[in-house]
Amino acid sequence: MAAISASLVKQLRERTGLGMMECKKALSEADGDIEQAIENLRKNAGLKSAKKAGRVAAEGAILTRVSEDGRTAVMLEVNSETDFVARDENFRSFANEVVNKVLDTRSEDIATLMDGELEEARVQLVQKIGENITVRRASVVEAPEGGVVGAYVHGDRIGAVVVLTGGTVEAARDVAMHVAAINPSVSHPEKMAQEELDKEKAIIMAQPDMAGKPAEIAEKMVQGRLNKYLSENSLINQPFVKDQNVSVAEFVKQSGGEVASFVRFEVGEGIEKEEVDFAKEVMEQAQRG
C-alpha cells in the first residue's frame, strides 16, 4: 500500500471539501490514487458535500463570545451560499458550537478547531441543507492586565471586538458598536500603513486646487489634509456614534480607560462572489437540446 502523505490528503480536501480523516481513509482505500479516491467518494455519503465544495459561500453569520472575566473575546465567521440558510436553526446551532469551541480552546486555527466532530457535523449539515457551509475565520482577543474587552454584532452580519486598557466592559461594548457602524481603518493615527498614506497623498496632490501651488504651500496643504484623513479614519479621533460631542477616546476616558485595539468582521468581505449569467445559462441549456 502506498504511503499517504499529508500533502496528498490536503490536496484531496481542497478538491472535495471533505474532512481530513475521510480523505485519508479514501486515499488509503484507493492506494494513494487521488482520482480513484474522488470516484469512490462520489459513491458514498460524501457526494453531496464534495459536489458543493467549490460553490462560493459568501453569506453567513458573525458570532462573538466574551469570557466571564471580561478579558477574552472571540469572533467567528461561518459562511453559507444564501442568507436564507444563514437564518436556519440548524446552521445557527452549528455556528454556536464552533464559536463556543473557539472560546474554550482560545484557538484561531480553523483546521485544528474543525478536526473531528465539528467537521463531521459540518459535512452532515451540508448534506441536510444542500448548500456549501464553511468556517472561514476566527479571532481571539485578550485584554492586558487591568483591561477589558467588549463585543458587538449587528444583524448577524457585522461584528466587532474592542480591547481597552482599563475602563469597563460596557464601555468596550459601546465602542465595539461604534466600530461596527463606522468602520474605522485603524485604532490610532500612527497605526495607519505607510502605503495607505502614500495613496492618500497621491490623491490629494492630484486635486485641482493643488495645481501651480508653490512647494512650501503645497506641502502644508497636503499635511493638513493628511491629518484630517487620519483623524476621520482613526477610531480614537472619531466622534463617538452615541454622542457626537465627544471623541471615542474622550468617551472611553470617562470610564477610566483607553482604546488599545479592535477587530472587525463583515460577512463575505473579500470573497469574490460568483456572478451568474442566467440568460447565458438558459441559452447553453437550449443549445444542448
Side-chain angles (χ1 to χ4, degrees):
M1 181 177 289
I4 308 303
S5 67
S7 62
L8 196 61
V9 174
K10 181 175 182 290
Q11 188 180 344
L12 185 58
R13 288 192 72 187
E14 288 171 351
R15 290 183 61 180
T16 64
L18 297 176
M20 182 177 70
M21 296 309 294
E22 192 168 1
C23 288
K24 190 172 182 180
K25 182 182 177 185
L27 285 164
S28 295
E29 290 173 351
D31 201 24
D33 184 332
I34 194 166
E35 298 302 330
Q36 183 62 50
I38 290 172
E39 187 174 329
N40 292 343
L41 284 166
R42 286 176 177 164
K43 299 172 184 174
N44 64 25
L47 171 64
K48 202 167 187 180
S49 175
K51 285 178 67 179
K52 298 181 185 302
R55 300 215 313 232
V56 176
E59 296 297 332
I62 305 296
L63 299 90
T64 61
R65 291 285 187 277
V66 176
S67 62
E68 288 185 14
D69 63 5
R71 289 191 55 202
T72 303
V74 302
M75 186 158 54
L76 177 77
E77 179 179 0
V78 182
N79 296 124
S80 58
E81 292 178 44
T82 65
D83 59 356
F84 176 78
V85 163
R87 297 191 297 272
D88 179 83
E89 253 183 59
N90 297 294
F91 176 91
R92 300 294 305 177
S93 176
F94 168 72
N96 278 308
E97 280 187 58
V98 181
V99 77
N100 287 338
K101 187 170 181 183
V102 176
L103 183 60
D104 289 343
T105 62
R106 306 293 205 265
S107 174
E108 298 178 348
D109 188 322
I110 299 301
T112 301
L113 286 165
M114 296 301 294
D115 191 28
E117 291 182 5
L118 283 179
E119 177 59 19
E120 290 173 12
R122 186 194 70 81
V123 171
Q124 289 171 11
L125 185 62
V126 169
Q127 293 170 351
K128 182 175 184 177
I129 290 178
E131 280 195 13
N132 189 22
I133 307 294
T134 61
V135 179
R136 185 185 181 197
R137 54 181 171 167
S139 178
V140 179
V141 176
E142 304 272 358
E145 189 68 37
V148 294
V149 294
Y152 175 79
V153 176
H154 180 76
D156 295 332
R157 295 190 61 84
I158 301 174
V161 172
V162 167
V163 181
L164 305 183
T165 55
T168 63
V169 171
E170 291 74 19
R173 184 181 183 278
D174 280 345
V175 177
M177 183 189 296
H178 173 102
V179 170
I182 307 301
N183 193 15
S185 299
V186 292
S187 59
H188 297 72
E190 59 270 23
K191 293 186 178 180
M192 185 70 74
Q194 188 60 47
E195 183 182 350
E196 290 299 316
L197 290 176
D198 292 343
K199 190 186 300 181
E200 185 62 23
K201 186 174 181 177
I203 292 170
I204 294 168
M205 291 296 290
Q207 291 168 357
D209 64 345
M210 296 297 294
K213 292 286 190 299
E216 189 177 333
I217 293 175
E219 185 58 35
K220 285 183 179 178
M221 289 174 68
V222 167
Q223 197 54 53
R225 292 179 189 181
L226 276 179
N227 289 339
K228 184 173 185 290
Y229 170 79
L230 283 169
S231 181
E232 289 173 347
N233 290 279
S234 301
L235 173 60
I236 63 167
N237 292 331
Q238 291 176 336
F240 181 47
V241 72
K242 292 174 76 172
D243 182 357
Q244 299 284 307
N245 295 314
V246 297
S247 68
V248 170
E250 289 167 338
F251 166 74
V252 174
K253 191 175 182 180
Q254 292 169 6
S255 71
E258 293 182 355
V259 173
S261 61
F262 73 86
V263 180
R264 185 182 188 273
F265 282 1
E266 188 165 344
V267 166
E269 61 188 341
I271 297 177
E272 188 173 340
K273 297 185 182 182
E274 184 179 0
E275 298 296 331
V276 180
D277 187 337
F278 289 107
K280 183 181 178 183
E281 200 174 271
V282 171
M283 181 66 74
E284 288 175 350
Q285 187 172 338
Q287 288 171 349
R288 287 196 297 267

